[in-house]
Amino acid sequence: MNLKENTEIKQTLESLKTGMIEYIEPGETEYSAKDVEKCINLIENFLTQIELTETKDSGMKLVEKVILKLNKLNEECEFELIETDQREQIADIIILAGNLKGYNERNEDITEEWREW
């Protein structure tokens, strides 16, 4: 199972990246295209790693790890990188990945416990 090739995940990830980049206002926005790349890379690495897990416990440890890294990145960007739309898209990707692995229900927010955005 290649989660990065899942149609819904792929489309949501592309939409996320496009939205973040389009929102950048030079001199106004507290994040750059480089920060967007960091965010996308964190999510893609999470997708690669969770594919390799075989238990819900190991999958949820990866969810916690990526959420904490995203929290830190968002803080470094003065909390501007991840706004409402991005929060929903990122959570959707993580929740869907967990669901496809059989770790959670599709409507179960497995990010909420650690998420600051």
Side-chain angles (χ1 to χ4, degrees):
M1 167 188 333
N2 186 343
L3 293 174
K4 286 193 272 186
E5 293 303 316
N6 174 280
T7 305
E8 189 176 345
I9 288 175
K10 207 172 179 177
Q11 288 173 344
T12 305
L13 200 54
E14 189 56 41
S15 173
L16 173 68
K17 183 177 179 177
T18 301
M20 287 175 148
I21 289 175
E22 285 177 356
Y23 190 76
I24 295 174
E25 292 283 334
E28 300 285 323
T29 314
E30 296 294 330
Y31 69 91
S32 65
K34 193 175 189 175
D35 296 312
V36 174
E37 282 304 318
K38 286 180 191 174
C39 179
I40 299 302
N41 286 338
L42 284 172
I43 296 166
E44 287 178 341
N45 288 339
F46 161 77
L47 292 170
T48 299
Q49 291 174 346
I50 199 167
E51 270 180 39
L52 304 174
T53 62
E54 294 181 9
T55 66
K56 180 177 181 173
D57 187 50
S58 59
M60 292 309 294
K61 283 186 172 111
L62 289 176
V63 170
E64 178 182 8
K65 187 175 166 184
V66 74
I67 296 299
L68 295 176
K69 286 180 179 181
L70 289 167
N71 287 346
K72 186 175 186 317
L73 177 60
N74 195 42
E75 183 178 346
E76 290 168 1
C77 297
E78 303 295 322
F79 302 98
E80 287 188 9
L81 181 66
I82 304 173
E83 298 283 347
T84 304
D85 290 346
Q86 292 78 27
R87 177 184 69 229
E88 291 173 9
Q89 290 176 310
I90 293 169
D92 281 349
I93 291 167
I94 293 170
I95 292 165
L96 179 56
N99 178 255
L100 291 170
K101 287 294 292 184
Y103 299 156
N104 55 276
E105 296 298 319
R106 184 65 173 99
N107 61 352
E108 180 184 354
D109 188 349
I110 57 174
T111 68
E112 193 172 26
E113 184 177 342
W114 306 285
R115 183 167 35 88
E116 294 174 2
W117 29 270

